[in-house]
Amino acid sequence: MNTRYIKRLAKGALLFGASLFTMTSCGDFFDAESTFVVDADKSHLDNANDTIYSMVGILNKLQAIADRTILLGEARGDLVTITEATSNDLRDLAMFTVSDAIGANKYNNPADYYAVINNCNYYIAHADTAKTDSHGAQYFLNEYAAVKAIRAWTYLQLVITYGKVPFYTEPLLSQDIDINKYPKYGIKEICNYFINNDGLQALAANDKVIMPSYPDIKSTKSKLFFFPINIVLGDLNLWAENYLEAAKCYHEYLVKRNGETDCYPVQYRTVEWSDNKWSEGSEPYDNWTSTITGEGNGKYDEVISIIPMDSIPSEGYYSELRAIFNTDFAKDNDYRVSLVPSQAIKNLSASQKYCYYDIVNQTYSDVSSGLGDYKDGDLRLQAAWKNKENGHVLRDGSRIDDQQIIKTRTKNGNIHIYRRSQVYLRYAEAMNRAGFPIYAYMILANGVNHNIVSQIADLYPESADLLKNNFDFHANTYHCIVQFNPITLTKIDLVGEDRYTPEKTYGSIGIHSHGSGWAGFYDTFIDGINNRYGYDMPTGTLEEQQLAVEDMIIDENALEMAFEGTRFYDLMRVALRRNDPSYLANKIAQRNEGGNGQTVSTNLLDKKNWFLRWNNQIGMY
């Protein structure tokens, strides 16, 4: 970009910053009383002010579906449950009883998704991507690519929510158009369109395409407002069951982010016992939650993409999530939260085995059970969920339980869409179903680097070249804290330059070690038998290994991603893949096993009940 364009973009970004959060100059773009499409009177968007103004409209409309994206994925899953204070709309969502009547439930309004889609359609149709500077660089290619990714992502959220949806890609400029005249596409049809017919592949392969980067908006990095194309393509391929292609997309993002070669390992940021005094009441040390919630640009920050929200309730789209999950934000609900951790996530967390490593004596041991305060097993629930019985004092002096879900206490209430470990987990899911369960297993238990991939390739001789050429990691930058040989089932003692210490910049660990200690270690001395910490190495036929590893990935998703809005869709993907509705139904049924929450009475063995009923409000624009 030339200097003149940078100055024009900076000037436009000032408008962007002022309007994104107040929208006073732009109006409510899709309200019936206002302009139907931003800049609808322009045949071309060919300068910075035009394109940024249009981008503002798109991001503004994303705000309308931000909370819903999290709640549709979390409230319907098995990791949270409702309370007496839960609103009727949210209760119906959690209980799978949402009505299709117009206005009956605020979470059932597909028009909000089409508001995003239609603005994207207009931008894509009218942005002058051929315009170049004096060096031949295309002015608006980055913004164009970002809008393409947003449209594909939004269509994916729409179709996995409703099952089958009207599909169109041209901009609609009249509110009298009945979109039901368009063909209805299911999940695989939507995914295959964007994989094969929308040019996303070419944009992802173009090294000149990077994320748009405007000045920080209210101290939030604007680069986070966009969705990386390779992650979106990975998700599309994962839902379409194109597993090898999904794995390639995720891997491409992890090793070459934003058009530049970069190192992006699963960082050594954990919730851990830093000494052996857990029986004496000591507290775990936590540097994991700050890493997964921070919106900075540090090497440890996990956040990749967000939907920026307004920072005060009077400014339009203010997120309700903090009030739904946190006592101190729930003023309008008498300080009572609406969603709490389920018995299922408590049981899963407590059932994990924590491996404590004594650095001085170089010995390993199990952490004892029965510690209370959810310190048994995996420690991520204890770190993410702070609960104190009768801990919140009301104005009248009475007390109620105090709850904080740290993951939802984001800056300005911004909604987090993608983060680093989430991409690794989906990468593992794709690699497992692509036929490489040991590779996927190592992502959970050990971490992956060049040496590990080389050893895994030996297990799959017919695919050795494929693995080495497409799924390797840079030998000079990716270092695993533990080197575990998947062939000999032994831990490799590293020496010299290869020896890793946690202080090294690019150290990688297995995701399970975020909360269960040194899951990558293999120890031959406990109880006189080989004992694998974390998950057991999968054995049996390839299919048996894949099923076992998939179960591990689903458990790891729960431990790592609880309360972040992915759970229901993770379960749905597996149930569809296995053609086994009972897989999802049984998980949801265990939501409150042994607890006091309500039981879902909807028949989830019938797949049609997994999706929201189509709200006829969308029939006519």
Side-chain angles (χ1 to χ4, degrees):
M1 295 182 182
N2 61 22
T3 304
R4 178 179 299 178
Y5 176 66
I6 292 174
K7 290 180 178 178
R8 291 168 65 195
L9 181 58
K11 181 179 179 180
L14 293 177
L15 169 65
F16 177 83
S19 58
L20 174 58
F21 294 97
T22 64
M23 303 310 295
T24 54
S25 63
C26 298
D28 296 320
F29 294 140
F30 260 70
D31 284 353
E33 296 79 18
S34 66
T35 305
F36 187 61
V37 177
V38 180
D39 284 337
D41 58 336
K42 293 180 179 291
S43 60
H44 283 86
L45 306 176
D46 58 6
N47 64 66
N49 285 337
D50 286 346
T51 56
I52 293 175
Y53 189 77
S54 294
M55 186 70 82
V56 167
I58 293 167
L59 295 177
N60 173 245
K61 292 304 160 190
L62 275 174
Q63 290 179 308
I65 64 172
D67 278 6
R68 197 177 319 171
T69 299
I70 305 302
L71 292 173
L72 286 167
E74 205 61 47
R76 295 185 297 165
D78 60 331
L79 307 182
V80 299
T81 190
I82 55 178
T83 72
E84 293 181 356
T86 306
S87 69
N88 289 334
D89 284 350
L90 188 54
R91 183 180 300 272
D92 286 342
L93 193 64
M95 303 304 291
F96 298 86
T97 55
V98 174
S99 169
D100 61 353
I102 295 175
N105 190 297
K106 67 179 181 179
Y107 300 116
N108 186 13
N109 187 6
D112 291 336
Y113 295 88
Y114 284 105
V116 180
I117 290 165
N118 205 40
N119 267 288
C120 290
N121 288 347
Y122 187 85
Y123 187 105
I124 291 165
H126 294 281
D128 189 358
T129 57
K131 195 174 184 65
T132 60
D133 62 19
S134 59
H135 300 287
Q138 293 171 279
Y139 276 158
F140 306 116
L141 184 60
N142 295 334
E143 284 79 4
Y144 176 82
V147 172
K148 283 260 187 173
I150 290 171
R151 182 175 69 174
W153 178 88
T154 305
Y155 255 125
L156 179 59
Q157 305 313 305
L158 177 67
V159 75
I160 62 177
T161 299
Y162 289 95
K164 185 171 283 193
V165 298
F167 182 79
Y168 64 95
T169 57
E170 71 270 22
L172 305 182
L173 302 181
S174 169
Q175 296 185 358
D176 296 326
I177 295 175
D178 183 359
I179 71 164
N180 287 311
K181 71 177 185 179
Y182 290 94
K184 285 194 173 183
Y185 283 9
I187 294 174
K188 287 189 176 181
E189 292 170 294
I190 292 284
C191 292
N192 286 327
Y193 174 86
F194 286 109
I195 292 167
N196 300 314
N197 303 112
D198 198 46
L200 288 175
Q201 300 275 13
L203 289 169
N206 187 343
D207 288 340
K208 295 181 180 179
V209 175
I210 62 173
M211 285 291 181
S213 184
Y214 308 129
D216 292 358
I217 310 299
K218 288 196 172 183
S219 73
T220 301
K221 294 187 177 298
S222 60
K223 196 174 184 178
L224 299 177
F225 298 173
F226 307 102
F227 308 141
I229 293 178
N230 271 313
I231 299 181
V232 175
L233 274 172
D235 287 354
L236 292 166
N237 277 289
L238 194 61
W239 280 99
E241 299 184 359
N242 304 323
Y243 299 118
L244 190 63
E245 291 304 313
K248 288 179 179 178
C249 292
Y250 292 132
H251 179 269
E252 183 72 5
Y253 175 78
L254 293 170
V255 300
K256 193 197 297 185
R257 293 184 304 142
N258 210 28
E260 299 177 359
T261 300
D262 199 356
C263 187
Y264 207 50
V266 178
Q267 289 280 12
Y268 180 69
R269 286 295 180 267
T270 66
V271 193
E272 63 183 23
W273 293 108
S274 54
D275 56 40
N276 61 358
K277 298 182 179 180
W278 48 81
S279 296
E280 300 173 21
S282 66
E283 293 295 317
Y285 172 71
D286 172 25
N287 63 6
W288 173 71
T289 51
S290 61
T291 302
I292 64 174
T293 56
E295 296 174 7
N297 200 29
K299 64 182 180 182
Y300 298 119
D301 285 349
E302 285 238 338
V303 176
I304 296 170
S305 301
I306 68 172
I307 296 177
M309 303 298 285
D310 300 315
S311 57
I312 57 176
S314 62
E315 288 187 345
Y317 290 114
Y318 177 81
S319 174
E320 297 178 346
L321 286 191
R322 290 179 293 186
I324 287 172
F325 284 102
N326 297 277
T327 310
D328 54 332
F329 279 95
K331 180 178 180 181
D332 294 335
N333 206 20
D334 294 326
Y335 299 98
R336 289 170 169 82
V337 295
S338 300
L339 294 176
V340 297
S342 69
Q343 193 63 37
I345 183 59
K346 295 174 186 177
N347 292 344
L348 177 64
S349 182
S351 69
Q352 305 306 300
K353 182 185 292 185
Y354 187 101
C355 173
Y356 173 72
Y357 175 54
D358 186 326
I359 297 177
V360 176
N361 298 311
Q362 297 187 13
T363 58
Y364 317 101
S365 59
D366 287 341
V367 171
S368 55
S369 59
L371 299 176
D373 284 337
Y374 303 99
K375 296 176 185 177
D376 292 347
D378 194 276
L379 295 173
R380 280 169 287 187
L381 175 62
Q382 189 268 347
W385 173 48
K386 303 299 182 183
N387 183 67
K388 188 174 182 180
E389 188 174 347
N390 294 321
H392 189 87
V393 182
L394 300 176
R395 289 184 179 180
D396 62 3
S398 61
R399 291 177 174 269
I400 59 173
D401 289 353
D402 180 58
Q403 172 173 289
Q404 294 182 23
I405 300 290
I406 307 303
K407 293 180 173 184
T408 65
R409 302 173 69 85
T410 58
K411 183 169 61 175
N412 294 332
N414 294 332
I415 303 303
H416 293 183
I417 301 299
Y418 288 123
R419 69 176 175 92
R420 185 186 322 206
S421 294
Q422 175 187 8
V423 178
Y424 270 98
L425 284 164
R426 291 186 183 172
Y427 179 42
E429 183 179 346
M431 286 298 288
N432 179 52
R433 282 295 176 170
F436 307 107
I438 302 302
Y439 191 119
Y441 172 81
M442 296 302 283
I443 293 173
L444 304 182
N446 183 92
V448 286
N449 65 1
H450 174 72
N451 291 336
I452 296 296
V453 173
S454 296
Q455 293 161 4
I456 292 171
D458 291 337
L459 295 173
Y460 304 99
E462 295 182 357
S463 302
D465 289 342
L466 173 71
L467 289 170
K468 292 176 181 178
N469 294 334
N470 293 278
F471 302 108
D472 202 359
F473 286 83
H474 307 307
N476 295 329
T477 52
Y478 283 82
H479 302 277
C480 290
I481 292 179
V482 177
Q483 294 274 12
F484 174 75
N485 189 316
I487 300 175
T488 63
L489 303 184
T490 57
K491 181 171 69 70
I492 302 171
D493 291 320
L494 303 179
V495 296
E497 290 296 320
D498 290 331
R499 187 173 181 83
Y500 182 78
T501 60
E503 290 74 24
K504 282 191 178 178
T505 303
Y506 295 123
S508 187
I509 61 175
I511 295 176
H512 199 57
S513 288
H514 277 167
S516 286
W518 293 88
F521 276 129
Y522 185 86
D523 185 26
T524 60
F525 302 107
I526 296 180
D527 297 330
I529 60 173
N530 291 342
N531 182 24
R532 177 74 177 158
Y533 281 104
Y535 298 114
D536 293 328
M537 176 69 79
T539 59
T541 66
L542 176 62
E543 182 179 4
E544 289 170 340
Q545 290 182 27
Q546 287 177 308
L547 291 173
V549 171
E550 193 162 75
D551 288 340
M552 297 176 196
I553 292 170
I554 283 295
D555 283 351
E556 196 62 45
N557 265 300
L559 296 166
E560 178 72 22
M561 300 297 300
F563 322 129
E564 297 183 55
T566 68
R567 184 58 173 178
F568 181 75
Y569 298 118
D570 292 338
L571 298 178
M572 187 202 297
R573 263 197 321 278
V574 174
L576 289 173
R577 176 182 304 145
R578 297 184 181 186
N579 193 25
D580 182 8
S582 67
Y583 179 88
L584 180 144
N586 291 339
K587 289 285 188 181
I588 305 303
Q590 294 169 15
R591 179 192 284 173
N592 295 301
E593 184 179 359
N596 297 319
Q598 290 182 290
T599 301
V600 174
S601 58
T602 303
N603 179 19
L604 294 180
L605 292 175
D606 187 342
K607 292 180 184 177
K608 76 173 187 291
N609 293 323
W610 299 357
F611 304 102
L612 295 190
R613 295 182 178 88
W614 189 253
N615 186 323
N616 289 324
Q617 181 178 348
I618 195 64
M620 299 290 290
Y621 260 126

